[in-house]
Amino acid sequence: MAIETIRALLEQAFPDGDVAVVDRTGGDDHFHVMVESGAFAGLSLVEQHRLVNRALADPLADGSIHELRITTKG
Amino acid sequence: MTLRDQIRNVIDDEPVAIFIKGTPDRPACGNSMRALQALWNAGAPITAIDVLPDPQIRQELSSLSDWPTIPQVFVKGELIGGADITEELFASGELGRKLDEALGEEREQVVKTVSVAATAA
């Protein structure tokens, strides 16, 4: 999965957000995503990560993201 | 008992349940190791469940918890998060506070493993 596709999915889910994606191993399947968005206001970390996981549900389900690290900021 | 019920029971009954790939002695994935390490350093008792023996374990777990990835950490039945959140909460000191609150400060730090398996009815 290309890093651009991940970024596009996140930008679509968090239109106001600041999105950064790092390919941790250079293999196009271990990613670290960092999202800063007003959508996280008042949410627990679990709920914040759920929003990110939902935005990436398809690539997570089909295995094109093998490993995902998430950092969120409200 | 269905696999789903077994998973639910472990989550509800164990003070700290962590679903990982592999075992605490031999974690088969870096993220499982990171979460175990953070729990250990926070002084948590650890009940580990390996999801690798059967892909159905992970499917049932994720549908129960609404959380797609492994590891998953539960304290007193409540989902705390995966490796990133567990590390983040440990670094901020919040994990220790949460454990103190849920389990008391004088808790015994035991590590054990529990297995769940689909059984014939």
Side-chain angles (χ1 to χ4, degrees):
Chain A
M1 161 131 313
I3 203 164
E4 289 75 25
T5 317
I6 309 262
R7 192 180 299 125
L9 285 169
L10 291 171
E11 281 169 351
Q12 200 182 330
F14 304 98
D16 75 315
D18 230 346
V19 173
V21 184
V22 176
D23 180 346
R24 292 185 46 244
T25 60
D28 273 343
D29 61 355
H30 290 60
F31 296 99
H32 185 177
V33 304
M34 288 146 275
V35 184
E36 184 171 354
S37 164
F40 298 137
L43 298 182
S44 68
L45 280 173
V46 166
E47 290 302 331
Q48 294 180 18
H49 283 224
R50 274 199 178 118
L51 291 182
V52 174
N53 281 323
R54 255 172 227 146
L56 301 176
D58 288 342
L60 277 170
D62 68 20
S64 46
I65 295 179
H66 177 73
E67 191 227 61
L68 182 64
R69 290 195 188 184
I70 300 174
T71 307
T72 53
K73 209 172 161 191
Chain B
M1 205 187 332
T2 64
L3 183 57
R4 195 182 179 89
D5 286 340
Q6 290 179 53
I7 294 171
R8 192 179 285 130
N9 284 351
V10 171
I11 291 172
D12 288 344
D13 295 347
E14 299 298 328
V16 178
I18 177 169
F19 292 79
I20 57 175
K21 294 181 183 172
T23 61
D25 289 343
R26 290 173 164 264
C29 149
N31 287 328
S32 293
M33 185 135 69
R34 286 165 58 213
L36 282 166
Q37 198 76 52
L39 285 177
W40 179 256
N41 289 339
I46 296 172
T47 300
I49 307 92
D50 185 0
V51 302
L52 290 179
D54 181 353
Q56 241 188 305
I57 300 172
R58 184 174 169 174
Q59 270 169 34
E60 291 289 347
L61 171 65
S62 288
S63 101
L64 258 176
S65 61
D66 188 21
W67 194 266
T69 49
I70 301 293
Q72 296 185 26
V73 175
F74 297 83
V75 174
K76 284 252 178 160
E78 183 204 347
L79 177 68
I80 296 302
D84 297 314
I85 294 182
T86 307
E87 273 194 338
E88 216 172 308
L89 293 179
F90 172 63
S92 70
E94 208 179 312
L95 183 58
R97 283 194 292 278
K98 220 179 248 287
L99 291 165
D100 289 349
E101 207 174 287
L103 311 172
E105 290 177 32
E106 299 289 313
R107 56 189 177 265
E108 204 180 340
Q109 192 168 29
V110 185
V111 178
K112 62 174 179 169
T113 56
V114 164
S115 49
V116 291
T119 45

